[in-house]
Amino acid sequence: MKKIDQLMIETDGTPDKSKLGANAILGISMAAARAGAAGRYIPLYQFLADESDAPSKNFVLPVPFMNVLNGGDHSGNPMAFQEFMIAPTHATSFTQAVQWNAETYSALETLIQSKHGKTAVGLGDEGGFAPPISHPHDALDLLMEAIKVTGHEGKIKIGIDPASQSFFTADSKYDMDFKTDAPELLDATMLGDLYHCAVELVGDDLLATNVDRVKMGVEKKACNSMLLKINQIGTITEAIGAGNEAFSAGWSVFVSHRSGETTDDFIADLTVGMRTGHLKSGAPARGERVAKYNRLMDIECELAAKELRFRYAGTGFRGAHKDG
Ligand SMILES: O=C(O)[C@@H](CO)OP(=O)(O)O
């Protein structure tokens, strides 16, 4: 895989794959990884662990951050923030985590119907609901209520991907009402004040799964975690390299799907192989989203059947790669 990736990087010759295109070469890179695994008669996650130099004696199944409420550019409602995710950090296995999230998703549907009517349960781009709410607090209230009625209070945490570049204005403010004609402007400090505690701050477009940009982010102390999207960079070798650079800076790595996604489940194996401890792949709905969760449940079953050592990342998801 590394040799084929290197050949494609050299043939492209640009810093951003603008000649061949990251999506075009990614398919070849993934095929090379799958062929490598098949050639060695090992599962893909094992192959990717070897390629990442990750200890593969104790695999880690990730916490599934499921995007169950959508706003921003991913939905037609007026809410500025793009994704609200539920993360069952206190589950004891990946399979139980998926079950808890599916229960909460279903409770959320019932709640939205009772508050906003039947027409309000349409889905956003990543399978989350997109009810007619306008403020992030409304989304958080709905989520907290759904978590409570399913009996998972204190056991499921909440993550947010605001995608704030989509409501960043020319005069460096954040417009919380960017979809309407009545701007509600916050400056960077006011936006930061919405968070009341130390958070995992994940860099996405800023870093572009690119080792040089990760170095820049570390130097500027811009964040403390890297979102890993394989089609941002184009080859698996470089994606692993960027992830390892983030790890060596003391950051965490968070694997992600795209809003425009296929049913390919490669990132499930990559998450286990690199032991990133968390992944986001949308709601427990729609084939292209659940393909990753299904593959992860299969991996968990396979590891159990082979009596190999593995664990669910749980509350320690940010440092899952650290312990042997
Ligand atoms: O914002 C994100 O992290 C992704 C996936 O959720 O969306 P997009 O693919 O549109 O960048």
Side-chain angles (χ1 to χ4, degrees):
M1 177 187 80
K2 280 184 182 138
K3 281 190 186 156
I4 291 174
D5 283 354
Q6 193 51 39
L7 180 66
M8 292 193 292
I9 293 165
E10 281 162 20
T11 309
D12 176 84
T14 68
D16 58 358
K17 310 291 182 326
S18 51
K19 190 166 160 206
L20 296 180
N23 278 317
I25 64 175
L26 179 63
I28 299 168
S29 184
M30 293 193 300
R34 288 190 160 116
R40 287 189 214 160
Y41 300 100
I42 54 175
L44 183 58
Y45 56 85
Q46 171 79 66
F47 175 84
L48 293 168
D50 296 346
E51 294 294 308
S52 325
D53 294 327
S56 58
K57 294 233 157 57
N58 188 5
F59 287 108
V60 181
L61 271 296
V63 175
F65 279 64
M66 293 196 190
N67 174 12
V68 292
L69 264 182
N70 294 185
D73 280 341
H74 287 180
S75 89
N77 68 15
M79 185 168 58
F81 281 16
Q82 184 177 281
E83 301 175 22
F84 288 82
M85 293 168 275
I86 46 176
T89 50
H90 288 65
T92 53
S93 67
F94 183 80
T95 304
Q96 186 182 53
V98 170
Q99 184 190 330
W100 288 6
N101 272 354
E103 287 165 2
T104 308
Y105 181 73
S106 170
L108 190 60
E109 180 173 17
T110 310
L111 267 176
I112 292 172
Q113 270 202 35
S114 69
K115 285 182 202 279
H116 301 283
K118 275 196 167 161
T119 53
V121 287
L123 302 184
D125 288 0
E126 300 183 3
F129 299 111
I133 53 177
S134 52
H135 200 280
H137 284 152
D138 302 329
L140 292 173
D141 288 346
L142 274 172
L143 281 187
M144 290 307 291
E145 206 175 329
I147 290 170
K148 195 171 173 187
V149 298
T150 45
H152 302 314
E153 215 173 359
K155 297 185 280 181
I156 295 184
K157 303 293 180 193
I158 294 175
I160 297 175
D161 180 351
S164 43
Q165 82 283 353
S166 53
F167 51 95
F168 187 61
T169 65
D171 49 355
S172 298
K173 296 262 169 40
Y174 295 90
D175 182 3
M176 299 294 283
D177 241 329
F178 80 111
K179 293 184 195 169
T180 72
D181 294 335
E184 187 200 331
L185 298 174
L186 303 182
D187 62 25
T189 312
M190 289 154 88
L191 189 72
D193 284 347
L194 291 180
Y195 306 103
H196 298 287
C197 56
V199 291
E200 177 184 50
L201 191 57
V202 189
D204 179 7
D205 298 4
L206 176 73
L207 309 173
T209 317
N210 179 314
V211 74
D212 293 327
R213 296 192 65 84
V214 172
K215 285 180 188 159
M216 175 272 296
V218 171
E219 208 176 291
K220 292 190 175 201
K221 297 194 170 70
C223 39
N224 56 27
S225 179
M226 182 194 95
L227 201 68
L228 191 159
K229 288 172 169 168
I230 52 179
N231 80 332
Q232 279 181 332
I233 190 66
T235 66
I236 301 304
T237 303
E238 288 169 290
I240 289 172
N244 282 344
E245 184 68 32
F247 283 147
S248 64
W251 288 6
S252 52
V253 173
F254 193 169
V255 174
S256 173
H257 66 154
R258 301 307 307 252
S259 52
E261 186 50 67
T262 73
T263 50
D264 189 280
D265 56 13
F266 190 96
I267 59 171
D269 286 72
L270 185 64
T271 303
V272 174
M274 289 186 73
R275 308 197 314 162
T276 65
H278 48 340
L279 140 145
K280 69 184 182 94
S281 172
R286 295 188 170 184
E288 77 278 12
R289 313 296 155 192
V290 300
K292 285 70 167 170
Y293 303 131
N294 286 340
R295 171 68 185 146
L296 284 160
M297 286 191 283
D298 282 350
I299 293 174
E300 190 169 64
C301 279
E302 182 176 303
L303 290 169
K306 287 182 176 166
E307 296 181 10
L308 291 171
R309 277 179 60 206
F310 69 96
R311 66 192 164 84
Y312 174 62
T315 53
F317 63 88
R318 288 174 71 176
H321 60 286
K322 282 184 192 152
D323 25 77

